[in-house]
């Protein structure tokens, strides 16, 4: 469970690699999503392909380190001056 406004939910929507169901929705909404996905194996396979591609090209360790460094580097440089 993640909030609808979380980065995880945002990535799932942007990459179209899964389904986001609000926690405030009734259990029926989640069940309906599961039934819908179970009936469409091609859609699930495509979501999986997009998820793997996004993980490999965008949301990987190297990119996380680069993002972290880009935030820290100016702060570190400012302290060293």
């Amino acid at each position: 469970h993640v909030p609808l406004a979380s980065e995880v939910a945002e990535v799932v929507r942007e990459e179209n690699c899964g389904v986001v169901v609000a926690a405030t929705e009734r259990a029926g909404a989640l069940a309906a999503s599961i039934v819908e996905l179970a009936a469409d194996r091609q859609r699930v396979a495509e979501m999986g392909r997009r998820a793997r591609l996004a993980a490999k090209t965008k949301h990987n360790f190297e990119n996380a380190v680069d993002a972290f460094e880009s935030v820290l580097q100016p702060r570190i440089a400012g302290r060293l001056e």
Side-chain angles (χ1 to χ4, degrees):
H1 157 62
V2 297
L4 287 179
S6 71
E7 280 190 58
V8 172
E10 184 178 325
V11 168
V12 168
R13 284 189 295 267
E14 285 177 1
E15 301 298 337
N16 193 19
C17 62
V19 176
V20 178
V21 178
T24 57
E25 301 254 351
R26 296 193 180 267
L30 177 58
S33 293
I34 293 168
V35 168
E36 184 180 315
L37 292 173
D40 193 346
R41 292 188 183 270
Q42 184 175 353
R43 180 179 173 208
V44 171
E46 184 61 26
M47 285 179 174
R49 187 193 67 74
R50 284 192 295 268
R52 280 187 299 280
L53 181 63
K56 192 174 189 177
T57 62
K58 296 179 183 177
H59 306 288
N60 57 43
F61 182 75
E62 292 81 14
N63 287 349
V65 169
D66 289 346
F68 194 61
E69 283 180 343
S70 72
V71 169
L72 290 180
Q73 208 64 343
R75 287 159 180 79
I76 292 169
R79 289 183 180 206
L80 297 176
E81 293 176 354

